[in-house]
């Protein structure tokens, strides 16, 4: 039996955590580890392996872009695909997030019925890029 | 979990989300009163910005897309002043006051 893809979701708002977990686990069949801050995400990344990271841009404490930079410094995390989640999706911001190393940018609020499919698409893209 | 059960859980989560909104709005009213009295109250501006940001990023996921759309206008007004470390302009204050009323009407249904 294939192992479920493991997703690290970094989001400070409990309401959004709950609905995202529901969508990703129930619809997508992913295993989700939820972190409420960038600091917690770095600790989780040190203690586990993940196939994808969903990372909120604006959080108290260290923000999403800084969290990404710190994650990239961890052994084994250099190439893990990271998707930024943000309520503000302007073209120049998308360009900036991609330059920081994000594979994609998802707009918030997300549709809980579609989130898992979008994550699956990104994982497929990342896997194809890794195999190439 | 089948589709019916999923929809049921989604409806429950949306209900819980909506039930928590009035308390947030009360906190936003207090913050706006502070900021109206002192446009340089950076703490009030930052906290109010986080509330609008929360609405912007979550409303649509819980069946309230207009809450997201309308909150974004106030969030942008606050973002601009906070990012540039300057006092809110008259126009930005009007935007925040207006959008706070609009958001309240959405929350109150």
């Amino acid at each position: 039996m294939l192992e479920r893809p493991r997703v690290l979701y970094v989001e400070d708002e409990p309401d959004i955590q709950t609905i995202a977990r529901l969508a990703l686990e129930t619809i997508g069949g992913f295993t989700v580890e939820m972190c409420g801050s960038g600091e917690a995400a770095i600790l989780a990344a040190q203690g586990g392996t993940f196939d994808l990271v969903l990372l909120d841009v604006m959080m108290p404490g260290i923000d999403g872009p800084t969290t990404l930079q710190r994650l990239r410094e961890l052994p084994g995390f250099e190439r893990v695909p990271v998707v930024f989640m943000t309520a503000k999706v302007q073209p120049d911001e998308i360009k900036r997030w991609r330059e920081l190393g994000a594979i994609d940018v998802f707009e918030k609020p997300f549709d809980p019925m579609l989130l898992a499919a979008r994550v699956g698409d990104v994982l497929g893209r990342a896997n194809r890029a890794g195999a190439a | 979990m089948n589709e019916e059960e999923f929809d049921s859980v989604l409806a429950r989560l949306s209900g819980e989300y909506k039930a928590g909104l009035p308390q947030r709005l009360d906190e936003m009213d207090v913050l706006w009163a502070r900021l109206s009295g002192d446009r340089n109250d950076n703490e009030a501006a930052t906290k109010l910005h986080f509330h609008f940001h929360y609405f912007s990023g979550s409303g649509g996921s819980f069946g309230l897309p207009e809450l997201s759309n309308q909150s974004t206008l106030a969030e942008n007004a606050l973002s601009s002043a906070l990012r540039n470390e300057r006092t809110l302009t008259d126009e930005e204050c009007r935007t925040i006051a207006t959008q706070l009323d609009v958001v309240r009407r959405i929350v109150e249904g």
Side-chain angles (χ1 to χ4, degrees), chain A residues 10-69:
Chain A
V10 192
E11 164 64 57
D12 60 301
E13 288 293 349
D15 292 333
I16 301 174
Q17 287 183 0
T18 304
I19 202 162
R21 182 189 290 280
L22 174 74
L24 293 170
E25 292 185 342
T26 306
I27 298 177
F30 302 112
T31 297
V32 179
E33 179 154 346
M34 200 63 77
C35 290
S37 68
E39 291 89 342
I42 291 161
L43 284 175
Q46 288 169 330
T49 56
F50 296 94
D51 299 291
L52 181 96
V53 180
L54 295 171
L55 184 55
D56 190 22
V57 170
M58 185 191 282
M59 297 181 286
I62 61 172
D63 62 11
T66 307
T67 302
L68 173 56
Q69 287 172 338

Side-chain angles (χ1 to χ4, degrees), chain B residues 7 11 15 18 27 45 49 51 53 60-61 73 83 91 93 96:
Chain B
D7 288 344
K18 289 168 187 168
E27 293 171 16
H49 176 258
H51 282 299
H53 177 73
S61 295
L73 298 174
R83 191 173 52 244
E91 186 179 346
C93 285
I96 295 163

Side-chain angles (χ1 to χ4, degrees), chain B:
Chain B
M1 187 183 291
N2 62 35
E3 192 175 333
E4 192 176 326
E5 289 168 331
F6 181 84
D7 288 344
S8 169
V9 174
L10 204 55
R12 178 176 57 77
L13 292 177
S14 294
E16 289 171 1
Y17 174 82
K18 289 168 187 168
L21 297 180
Q23 186 183 342
R24 271 194 185 259
L25 267 177
D26 289 346
E27 293 171 16
M28 292 166 79
D29 283 337
V30 171
L31 292 167
W32 176 234
R34 273 175 56 183
L35 200 51
S36 301
D38 176 8
R39 291 186 188 186
N40 291 308
D41 187 337
N42 192 62
E43 185 191 60
T46 302
K47 287 182 176 175
L48 189 59
H49 176 258
F50 258 106
H51 282 299
F52 277 119
H53 177 73
Y54 168 75
F55 284 164
S56 294
S58 61
S61 295
F62 294 93
L64 294 174
E66 267 309 289
L67 180 62
S68 291
N69 296 338
Q70 298 297 332
S71 296
T72 299
L73 298 174
E75 184 193 358
N76 288 345
L78 284 157
S79 286
S80 177
L82 286 167
R83 191 173 52 244
N84 295 301
E85 297 181 346
R86 62 164 172 74
T87 305
L88 286 164
T89 65
D90 289 345
E91 186 179 346
E92 286 165 345
C93 285
R94 278 195 297 275
T95 299
I96 295 163
T98 300
Q99 295 315 113
L100 200 50
D101 282 341
V102 171
V103 163
R104 180 175 295 100
R105 285 200 294 274
I106 293 170
V107 168
E108 291 171 352

